[in-house]
Amino acid sequence: MTFNLQLVTFNLQLITDNHPKYVMWGSYCHNVIQKRAPYRQAHLDGLAAQKESGILVTLGPTKDQAKVFGIYEAPDEATVRQHIEADPYWQNGIWTEPLPLQQSTVVEN
């Protein structure tokens, strides 16, 4: 019985803690594969921490490695910008023109 009560409490917390979703869309620099090498591990570690904290839903390159696409769930755009600007890829010019935009939800599960 206690287990079920904790599960219900957890589910209610998830429902009430939802934040707006933000889409991040940007470009990669020329020769991204070579230029990202010194910063890649720090970048991946940062993304893992963001994912664990719940702010990052997904992030990655397009198949052609030309664009970066991400989805964040955060209380506001400023929080998303802080995470983007703290990333080694932004700080070292690997990402160019990252633009966070708040999503307008039409359908959600």
Side-chain angles (χ1 to χ4, degrees):
M1 189 63 99
T2 302
F3 177 76
N4 288 336
L5 180 59
Q6 289 174 344
L7 182 61
V8 170
T9 303
F10 178 73
N11 285 337
L12 288 175
Q13 184 176 359
L14 283 177
I15 291 168
T16 58
D17 285 352
N18 283 344
H19 294 295
K21 289 185 179 69
Y22 292 85
V23 174
M24 190 270 275
W25 182 253
S27 299
Y28 281 104
C29 66
H30 183 68
N31 292 331
V32 63
I33 303 298
Q34 294 81 17
K35 290 181 180 177
R36 73 181 182 187
Y39 318 107
R40 185 160 170 73
Q41 192 57 55
H43 164 72
L44 295 174
D45 292 346
L47 294 181
Q50 290 177 35
K51 183 78 171 164
E52 187 174 317
S53 75
I55 191 167
L56 181 64
V57 176
T58 189
L59 189 139
T62 54
K63 190 172 182 175
D64 64 0
Q65 303 282 325
K67 300 286 185 185
V68 58
F69 171 81
I71 299 175
Y72 291 84
E73 190 168 356
D76 52 49
E77 184 177 321
T79 301
V80 176
R81 284 188 181 276
Q82 287 172 354
H83 281 84
I84 292 170
E85 291 170 1
D87 192 288
Y89 277 17
W90 170 249
Q91 294 175 348
N92 294 285
I94 307 305
W95 286 341
T96 61
E97 310 168 45
L99 177 65
L101 303 167
Q102 187 171 354
Q103 175 197 12
S104 177
T105 302
V106 177
V107 176
E108 189 168 315
N109 55 9

